[in-house]
Amino acid sequence: MQGGVSASAVFELRNVAYTVPVREGQRDILRGVDFALGAGEILAIVGPSGTGKTSLIRIIAGLVAQSSGEVLFRGRPVAGPPEGVAVVFQDYANALLQWRTVAANIALGIERRLDRAACARQVERCLALVGLERHAGDYPWQLSGGMQQRVQIARALALEPAVLLMDEPFASLDAMTKASLQDEMLRLRGETGASFVFITHDIEEAIYLGDRVAVLRGRPGTIAETHGVGLGAVRDQVASRAAPEFLELRQRLHGAIGAHA
Amino acid sequence: MTGRQWASGVGGLLVCLAVWQVLVGSGLIEYDLLPSPWTIAAGLSTLVVEPAFAVELGHTLAATLLGWLVAVLAGTGLGALLGTSPRARRYCLASIEVLRPLPAVAFVPVALLLFGFSLQMELLVIVAPALWPALVNTMEGFAGVPQRLTDVAATFHLSAGTRLWRVYLPAAAPAVLVGMRLSLSLALVMAVVAEMVGNPEGLGYALVREQQALHPDLMFGYVLVIGVAGMVLNGLLLLASRFALPGLFRRPVARWDSA
């Protein structure tokens, strides 16, 4: 899945705008946002802070309603968080239930849907997917930031979602942890076949992970341009980042963001 | 507290007691009704073995715990409702802010008028003021649940009951516990007050009785017993909460939100 919009779009946003009331009237956060997410695709959305990235992911996730325009999930308008969509937030410390063990956190979305044995099997499988088998009984606050973010990803994967929405998930992690989680995410995409909307302010991360990269820009924010990433499905932290396609796209995105930031 | 801090604290206390003993024992200060620590200890030792003492202690503790239980159940229930519903807060907050500052002892004449010298009177005097710390702290605990957790509850499609019991209540638990502890210490104080002026039973009444019978050693003994009872109740509650919520007390205080 490279370049171009898939005919079978999972998510589709049409002319979405988002406005919040402020003391002197209202502030436009997003305006005229259009894009489609194809099945199995990773769409990276890159933009500087203050362009409404988090608002955009909250709208897609059904946590807030857009002010105008359409948000479609599998062709149906989104009203509230849709089934089959999981969200991974940047601030893992708040997003995890700190009073629950790692295993109990991962079970959060499935413990009432599956019987006990099936739930335990699913938790075990998801622990293995992110390499945390040995930490099932630990509490989140006993783990490093990278491990806590893995717990959050495993908790989302336990739902077996068709779409994962990720809001700057690796932004507060160190460079090494970030790189290993990026590779883990690409591997998980291969194993689960899920689609991803990946929001980041890091241009290189967007290119490295994305099948396509969309640029969110301006105040109010809008999708200014979208680029296919010609790197192939298999990525490598060293080789891919040195490839001419990578460097060329990086330069174009820097220009696209820098000129208008 | 470390062992060293404990030792220093106990040392300071012993020095104060020694000074008191010397001042009273040597006749440097002459005041007929101020007994020395030694006399109080002697009085206390005869007091605690009497069967009547157990009845008095039992009455005060039972009234305190019963009143506290009612206050905590009502206070946390209402607090949870107000903390989760901005609309409920909008309608009720003004009433709460008017009722809450009323001095606790002002309820005593009201309660006496309503129930006479009885246990009901004592319970009213306990419950009315002990309600507020539980209510206000629970409300703030629930209102302060990070938006991220409500996002998580929504995107994981948790039912209303699961949200309340498994997400919001544990997240608000530290604040709820603070409210419960404040309520408990207030409940004991109000039980003693009610017994001193209203319901003629328990430690509070015994305190007044010994004062009027000119037994200052026993009176001070009762004061001491009430103080220790408060410390023990507080300690037991802390212990129980640590036992009930193991994951809670060593969690980091990190609370930050993404831009």
Side-chain angles (χ1 to χ4, degrees), chain A residues 47-49 53-54 57 88-91 149 166-172 198-202 205, chain B residues 258-259:
Chain A
S49 43
K53 294 197 297 291
T54 295
I57 211 115
V88 174
F89 297 99
Q90 179 191 353
D91 49 337
Q149 197 55 292
M166 306 184 94
D167 185 14
E168 305 206 44
F170 310 143
S172 52
F198 189 97
I199 293 209
T200 179
H201 61 251
D202 179 342
E205 183 174 60
Chain B
S258 63

Side-chain angles (χ1 to χ4, degrees), chain A residues 86 105-110 113-114 119 122-123 125-127 129 151-161 164, chain B residues 156:
Chain A
N105 260 286
I106 295 173
L108 180 69
I110 52 173
R113 302 185 192 193
L114 305 177
C119 180
Q122 178 75 326
V123 168
R125 192 180 70 83
C126 293
L127 278 168
L129 276 175
V151 176
Q152 213 198 151
I153 292 169
R155 186 173 72 177
L157 290 174
L159 298 173
E160 299 187 353
L164 270 149
Chain B
F156 280 76

Side-chain angles (χ1 to χ4, degrees), chain A residues 72-137:
Chain A
L72 303 173
F73 175 62
R74 290 172 169 158
R76 289 194 186 153
V78 167
E83 288 281 348
V85 177
V87 189
V88 174
F89 297 99
Q90 179 191 353
D91 49 337
Y92 45 80
N94 281 328
L96 292 174
L97 278 52
Q98 295 287 338
W99 55 89
R100 277 189 171 213
T101 62
V102 167
N105 260 286
I106 295 173
L108 180 69
I110 52 173
E111 61 193 354
R112 290 298 172 94
R113 302 185 192 193
L114 305 177
D115 67 60
R116 196 177 276 259
C119 180
R121 272 200 305 278
Q122 178 75 326
V123 168
E124 214 162 298
R125 192 180 70 83
C126 293
L127 278 168
L129 276 175
V130 296
L132 285 177
E133 299 95 325
R134 290 214 236 142
H135 297 280

